[in-house]
Amino acid sequence: IQSTDLAPTTLLLSEWGCTSAREILEELPFVDPPPEDALEKAYRMLVDLGALEVYKLPNDRRRRRYKVTSHGSDVARLATHPRFGTSIIKASEMGDASLAAAVTAAALIGEELVAGRESNLALGVRDVLKGGERSYNGKRLLIFASRVSTEARSAVSRALAGDLAPADVSDRAGAALLPGFLDLVAQRAGDASYGGSTYKLSLGRS
């Protein structure tokens, strides 16, 4: 627990009513409690994803508290990491090809599938879908998609059956995943004093 990504756990505990890192550490009987800074990092990620929002009590304005948004409730119902959950929910608004791309990419990155030698994610998505529903990865992808949602399974089934062209689906992989990783997108801000470059993340942090 000292090194685990705590975003999924933090979202679940928020659904259960926990409102801060301090509350989690003080009220839950951990045998080996997580570091407070790791919990705070998880909270920041979930706020960036729109899964949580910050609020303060009138009699305690210095303490930041967190509550689950409607988007966060939707993400919590999906059997995947909140980053992927956000990507999948947003992709579902763009049609079956984007949804199939997000689900397949999430399965590859999350090691639900046996990755091939292809390091390019879009090409990896294409190769999985070209293998069809009877392939080992095809069967595992359908199982993963079924855990996510009925809509996800339907989109993936269409892609594996060839109703959606694998190349068309794979071309959408990057854009489909983007909503779940916006906090990691950076723009070059200029030259650094040490000889390299400086970048600013899309949410304003350098």
Side-chain angles (χ1 to χ4, degrees):
I1 199 167
Q2 295 294 320
S3 59
T4 299
D5 180 351
L6 296 175
T9 302
T10 302
L11 180 57
L12 177 63
L13 292 176
S14 297
E15 278 271 279
W16 290 353
C18 291
T19 63
S20 67
R22 184 186 304 176
E23 186 175 321
I24 289 173
L25 293 172
E26 290 179 354
E27 298 188 12
L28 297 182
F30 289 106
V31 174
D32 187 13
E36 186 170 2
D37 61 344
L39 284 170
E40 293 292 354
K41 180 179 179 181
Y43 274 117
R44 287 195 299 273
M45 177 196 297
L46 293 167
V47 170
D48 289 345
L49 293 175
L52 297 181
E53 61 183 10
V54 179
Y55 73 98
K56 295 180 180 180
L57 295 176
N59 60 348
D60 187 6
R61 304 297 299 177
R62 292 181 297 176
R63 185 173 176 181
R64 291 163 61 92
R65 297 174 185 269
Y66 303 87
K67 61 181 179 181
V68 181
T69 63
S70 59
H71 171 68
S73 295
D74 291 339
V75 170
R77 286 194 286 269
L78 302 183
T80 189
H81 191 281
R83 285 196 185 279
F84 298 138
T86 295
S87 298
I88 289 167
I89 288 170
K90 299 299 183 182
S92 68
E93 301 170 0
M94 298 184 287
D96 278 359
S98 293
L99 178 55
V103 174
T104 306
L108 276 169
I109 297 172
E111 299 182 348
E112 299 283 344
L113 308 178
V114 177
R117 296 181 179 180
E118 182 54 67
S119 59
N120 183 302
L121 179 62
L123 295 181
V125 168
R126 181 203 63 187
D127 290 345
V128 169
L129 297 178
K130 286 177 69 175
E133 60 186 11
R134 295 186 178 181
S135 67
Y136 177 78
N137 272 343
K139 293 175 181 177
R140 289 188 61 83
L141 178 57
L142 283 171
I143 292 171
F144 174 72
S146 297
R147 295 205 311 265
V148 172
S149 69
T150 302
E151 187 180 15
R153 180 183 172 88
S154 175
V156 166
S157 294
R158 291 189 64 202
L160 287 169
D163 294 340
L164 302 173
D168 183 40
V169 174
S170 65
D171 285 347
R172 300 167 187 253
L177 281 180
L178 182 60
F181 295 83
L182 279 176
D183 57 316
L184 301 182
V185 176
Q187 180 178 21
R188 188 175 184 275
D191 296 327
S193 58
Y194 51 79
S197 299
T198 59
Y199 292 86
K200 178 166 288 188
L201 295 179
S202 63
L203 297 180
R205 294 190 288 271
S206 298

